[in-house]
Amino acid sequence: MLLALLLQTTPAPPPAPPVMPLGHHGGMAAMTCPVGGETFEAWRSGTYSTYGSRPDGKPYSYMPFPFPLPECPSNRLVVFDDFTPADVAKLTTLIATPDYRSLVAGDVPYYRAAWLANRLGRPETQSLWLLLRAIWTVTPDAMTQGDAALSKRYQTEFAARVATLPATTDPAERRALSARGANALRQLGRFDEAEAMRRTAAALPPASGEGPAETSGWKRFLTELAPVIAARDTRIEPIALLGDMQQPLACIDADALTAADRTICDSEPVASQVAELRRSRAKTRSN
């Protein structure tokens, strides 16, 4: 998500410090807190690339995902959107509540953003996308250990809220969120519910203006998700659900391979790519 960093401010804020130059991939930039007018610096993204994504949607990249949200140092407001004057008035009250202070102590910034979005009356879909990014924050990967308890709680809430999206929700958004919800239920070990949500997502019609590539991409993911659910696989990154660029790497680097994993790793073109990666790594080590 591209974060909006040019924000409306409270009346007569102190002048902002000069904007720091951004590097190619991003850097620190000056900001003014919408509530209270405090000036601070926050990281914002520049140019970057991704190459596939985890089953929960977290992109694979040389950049850390999700990108950090700007957070006012003193009052701990997470700046996840442009805020109108009416929003600022509500936020002033919301961030002073015991509930928000409790979230500051125990939850990640993207979860707080989802909480605030909900209470500002933002669309439920916007709050859910923020919640999904909270899941990325606490789910273990090669870089972090994550937080299993928070991951379980966030995934449980995410799936429950996706299940109650109204039928009037845009089909493209409902399909995408339901696909991620079905995956969350799979990771939670709630396989019957995961399959039911997967079937619901697969049955949704194409949305107005939705491109065929996007439709076919979700159709492929939902088709590949079915046997993983049937196998009662709760892993974060089953090889069957990884993209073409990630499968060969996973075949080499996985701690253990299931029978389904081996079938994929031994098939072409994955097997040839695995062999080439092994040769490349051996050559690097020998040098």
Side-chain angles (χ1 to χ4, degrees):
M1 175 182 291
L2 296 178
L3 301 176
L5 296 177
L6 298 176
L7 305 172
Q8 297 186 25
T9 63
T10 53
V19 175
M20 300 292 288
L22 294 178
H24 180 65
H25 297 306
M28 302 302 289
M31 291 192 63
T32 301
C33 186
V35 174
E38 178 182 24
T39 56
F40 65 103
E41 289 188 346
W43 187 88
R44 69 180 184 186
S45 66
T47 302
Y48 64 90
S49 299
T50 63
Y51 32 92
S53 62
R54 272 188 344 202
D56 64 4
K58 181 177 180 178
Y60 292 111
S61 176
Y62 49 81
M63 298 290 284
F65 277 87
F67 292 151
L69 284 173
E71 183 173 351
C72 303
S74 296
N75 61 31
R76 305 299 295 275
L77 169 65
V78 283
V79 186
F80 64 90
D81 203 353
D82 288 314
F83 298 131
T84 66
D87 290 335
V88 171
K90 291 180 182 178
L91 287 167
T92 302
T93 300
L94 285 167
I95 64 175
T97 61
D99 286 345
Y100 189 77
R101 305 319 296 178
S102 177
L103 296 180
V104 169
D107 288 278
V108 300
Y110 272 98
Y111 188 83
R112 283 184 271 142
W115 187 90
L116 288 170
N118 184 271
R119 283 150 184 81
L120 287 176
R122 294 294 197 270
E124 173 70 349
T125 52
Q126 181 183 356
S127 179
L128 283 169
W129 288 121
L130 290 166
L131 177 54
L132 184 66
R133 282 155 177 77
I135 293 172
W136 300 352
T137 304
V138 298
T139 300
D141 59 21
M143 303 292 290
T144 63
Q145 291 185 335
D147 187 314
L150 282 181
S151 181
K152 181 177 180 180
R153 177 159 67 84
Y154 293 173
Q155 287 179 321
T156 299
E157 179 180 338
F158 181 80
R161 289 172 61 182
V162 168
T164 58
L165 281 171
T168 54
T169 304
D170 176 76
E173 288 222 85
R174 192 177 178 199
R175 181 189 301 109
L177 287 165
S178 295
R180 300 306 182 201
N183 182 72
L185 289 166
R186 174 192 66 80
Q187 285 187 228
L188 291 168
R190 294 161 55 180
F191 301 110
D192 291 344
E193 294 169 83
E195 176 60 13
M197 187 172 287
R198 187 200 69 81
R199 288 176 179 268
T200 297
L204 289 170
S208 175
E210 185 178 26
E214 185 178 3
T215 304
S216 63
W218 284 117
K219 184 177 294 186
R220 175 182 174 181
F221 176 80
L222 290 164
T223 299
E224 292 171 344
L225 182 59
V228 180
I229 293 172
R232 308 180 80 79
D233 190 336
T234 62
R235 291 178 298 166
I236 297 167
E237 297 173 286
I239 291 178
L241 297 181
L242 302 184
D244 296 339
M245 294 184 68
Q246 293 302 315
Q247 284 183 337
L249 291 168
C251 289
I252 295 175
D253 296 333
D255 293 333
L257 297 178
T258 67
D261 292 339
R262 291 192 187 92
T263 297
I264 294 169
C265 295
D266 291 342
S267 67
E268 292 295 346
V270 178
S272 294
Q273 293 168 341
V274 167
E276 180 59 31
L277 279 170
R278 292 189 190 280
R279 286 193 292 271
S280 177
R281 289 185 179 186
K283 183 177 179 180
T284 300
R285 286 194 294 268
S286 66
N287 291 337

